[in-house]
Amino acid sequence: MSQQILLLPGDGIGPEITTEAEKVLNAAIERFDLDITTDTALVGGAAYDATGEPLPEETLAKAKAADAILFGAIGGPKWDTIERSKRPERGLLKLRSSLGLFANLRPAILFPQLASASSLKPEIVSGLDILIVRELTGGIYFGEPRGLREENGERVGFNTMVYSESEIRRIAKVAFELAQTRGKKLCSVDKANVLEVTELWKEVVNDVAKDYPEVEVSHMYVDNAAMQLVRAPKQFDVVVTGNLFGDILSDEAAMLTGSIGMLPSASLDVNRKGLYEPCHGSAPDIAGQNLANPLAAILSLAMLMRYSFERADVAQAIEDAVESVLEQGLRTGDIYTEGTTKVGCDAMGDAVVKALLAK
Ligand code: IPM
Ligand code: MG
């Protein structure tokens, strides 16, 4: 039976980068003779405009039926002022929670060709290979109570940061398993000096650690982790943390690699069914101008092949093709440096296709 990928292009630069990822998918299907079919659905602001909902029932049903999802990006100023529950971001959050995509893998890998695109000195970042494992369906993003209320004649906003032992345990296990296949170092990031919820986080991580004696575990407060990431990022191998800290630290880690336009991610459920998306947003300022970097979307497709379809060979071939276009000196604006060749989103996608089929 053929495997199904649902494409959710979304808003802003989402459709452009998803088109390029789809071209690369078709090239992979051709080269490896894969039996994969695709379907497309609306999400985010585009879905709101067409149906009044950022995650229409039809899209959710298709997402549940698919074997894997390739997601573009969502949001934009056009929808910033609509009712909160209808905003594009809510569509993505509902998708993550409805599908139980609790494990978010965000690798920050520096392609050697981009060492000079990083804002840090090349010797600090060369050879960088960090994996951030972010809990994605709990914590302050979903905690209740939440909201806005009137108190003593003024407005008060509130959210709840909450984690159960079982939620911490299952993300910690994923992180330890991954650390075992890599550098065998796991750093758990918390704010246990102030927040009880992360005091529990630390305790549970230490408990899970007993099952993985070969992994060296350490703990770091989130403020220190933010500093260490720019001071000496290569001290990290796998980092595990909660939803909000992971959101912030993964953007920071992305910039170490030269551009957030390079970073893919995987969001997995307990069965490794996954949603794959670039870490970057919808970049409305450059949307529709053929300026976006499609490589994060293309590398997200590689992660899809690796984690959901268990085709490490296909994943590696796509990653090699990306490395080869960088080696050729092709750069979108976000990773451009003097002496390289500036290309648009579609030319970048075409070059990856060509490299993938040239093998
Ligand atoms: C991310 C994004 C999302 C998040 C937004 C768009 C809701 O920033 O995937 O990191 O905060 O999780
Ligand atoms: Mg984010």
Side-chain angles (χ1 to χ4, degrees), residues 96 106 134 141 243-244 246-248 250-251 260 279-281:
R96 287 172 179 170
R106 300 192 159 189
R134 168 188 177 196
Y141 270 53
N243 208 340
L244 179 62
D247 179 46
I248 298 165
S250 61
D251 268 25
I260 196 163
C279 289
H280 62 70

Side-chain angles (χ1 to χ4, degrees), residues 298-358:
I298 291 168
L299 292 167
S300 296
L301 173 66
M303 289 189 90
L304 182 158
M305 291 293 166
R306 177 170 289 118
Y307 292 108
S308 285
F309 291 177
E310 293 178 358
R311 289 296 301 256
D313 56 334
V314 181
Q316 190 63 52
I318 295 171
E319 287 159 0
D320 289 349
V322 167
E323 179 144 14
S324 132
V325 302
L326 294 174
E327 190 59 42
Q328 290 161 36
L330 304 185
R331 303 283 189 274
T332 42
D334 57 315
I335 47 176
Y336 175 78
T337 47
E338 231 181 89
T340 60
T341 312
K342 201 182 273 188
V343 295
C345 182
D346 60 354
M348 188 59 117
D350 290 342
V352 176
V353 166
K354 199 167 159 219
L356 185 59
L357 294 177

Side-chain angles (χ1 to χ4, degrees), residues 139 161-164 168 192 194-202:
M161 188 154 171
V162 55
Y163 272 116
S164 67
I168 303 167
V194 179
L195 305 173
E196 286 83 352
V197 51
T198 69
E199 208 178 302
L200 178 68
W201 178 282
K202 187 172 176 177

Side-chain angles (χ1 to χ4, degrees), residues 53-54 82-87 90-91:
E53 290 294 332
I82 62 176
E83 187 204 323
R84 200 169 304 108
S85 69
K86 305 282 184 196
R87 290 199 192 143
R90 288 296 170 102

Side-chain angles (χ1 to χ4, degrees), residues 108 110 120-130 182 185 228-239 256:
L110 181 77
L120 296 190
K121 295 191 198 92
E123 63 268 27
I124 308 257
V125 288
S126 70
L128 184 83
D129 181 358
I130 301 177
R182 298 171 39 105
K185 268 169 55 180
Q228 296 297 335
L229 265 177
V230 288
R231 193 188 72 84
K234 282 188 273 181
Q235 69 185 283
F236 297 104
D237 175 26
V238 179
V239 172
L256 303 174

